[in-house]
């Protein structure tokens, strides 16, 4: 009896460790090279329903439609760049999980590195006298 329970626990554990993909069998392309391209592109595109998942990982109906659209474009002979450009033209830059570096996304790319010294200064600075209530309210690192 203990062996059966142990085997069942191991089987459930192994099943839980296997990756779950949202791509359905009817979506998979017959050519493995094209399917690999489609999967790579799908990992770069945002599900606009889930927003922080790629369409490759999302089970939302819109993500399925986008995966099928990517496969249609690949089957039609589009390059990876043409597929991405088509989707950006249709849905906007938001569809990209990693936005392109352009003038209108410059702040998005530069703000985190520029904010790090400020955060470090705020965490490391101390006031000489009584603590300033305003500074304590905005300081992310309590002293």
């Amino acid at each position: 009896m203990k062996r059966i329970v142990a085997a069942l626990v191991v089987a459930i554990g192994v099943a839980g460790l296997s990756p779950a993909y949202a791509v359905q069998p009817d979506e998979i392309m017959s050519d493995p090279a094209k399917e690999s391209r489609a999967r790579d592109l799908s990992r770069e595109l945002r599900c606009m329903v889930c927003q922080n998942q790629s369409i490759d990982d999302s089970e939302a109906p819109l993500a399925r439609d986008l995966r099928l659209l990517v496969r249609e474009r690949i089957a039609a002979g589009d390059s990876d760049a043409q597929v991405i450009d088509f989707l950006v033209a249709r849905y906007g830059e938001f569809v990209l999980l990693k936005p392109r570096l352009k003038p209108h996304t410059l702040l998005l790319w530069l703000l985190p590195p520029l904010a790090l010294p400020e955060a470090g200064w705020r965490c490391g600075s101390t006031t000489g006298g009584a603590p300033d209530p305003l500074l304590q309210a905005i300081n992310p690192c309590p002293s």
Side-chain angles (χ1 to χ4, degrees):
M1 182 66 173
K2 287 183 180 180
R3 286 185 180 193
I4 293 173
V5 171
L8 186 59
V9 167
V10 169
I12 291 172
V14 170
L17 293 176
S18 64
Y21 296 111
V23 177
Q24 302 300 314
D26 63 327
E27 297 175 35
I28 297 175
M29 300 179 84
S30 58
D31 181 0
K34 288 183 179 180
E35 178 61 23
S36 176
R37 282 181 55 208
R39 295 299 293 267
D40 290 342
L41 286 172
S42 294
R43 287 184 194 102
E44 297 176 23
L45 299 169
R46 178 188 317 274
C47 172
M48 291 169 287
V49 175
C50 305
Q51 295 188 7
N52 285 331
Q53 273 188 321
S54 69
I55 63 171
D56 195 56
D57 297 328
S58 174
E59 294 182 14
L62 179 61
R64 176 183 164 81
D65 292 345
L66 288 173
R67 287 191 303 265
L68 291 172
L69 185 58
V70 166
R71 284 164 172 76
E72 281 177 23
R73 303 302 302 181
I74 289 173
D78 285 3
S79 69
D80 291 358
Q82 288 172 319
V83 173
I84 295 289
D85 290 342
F86 174 81
L87 290 168
V88 168
R90 194 170 193 182
Y91 296 102
E93 294 257 343
F94 185 71
V95 78
L96 301 175
L97 275 173
K98 183 179 176 186
R100 296 172 176 162
L101 183 59
K102 292 191 172 188
H104 66 278
T105 61
L106 201 56
L107 188 62
L108 176 69
W109 285 102
L110 293 179
L111 190 59
L114 294 176
L116 278 175
E118 173 70 15
W121 176 80
R122 287 193 180 275
C123 288
S125 69
T126 58
T127 56
D132 182 4
L134 180 60
L135 183 60
Q136 283 185 334
I138 61 171
N139 190 351
C141 303
S143 51

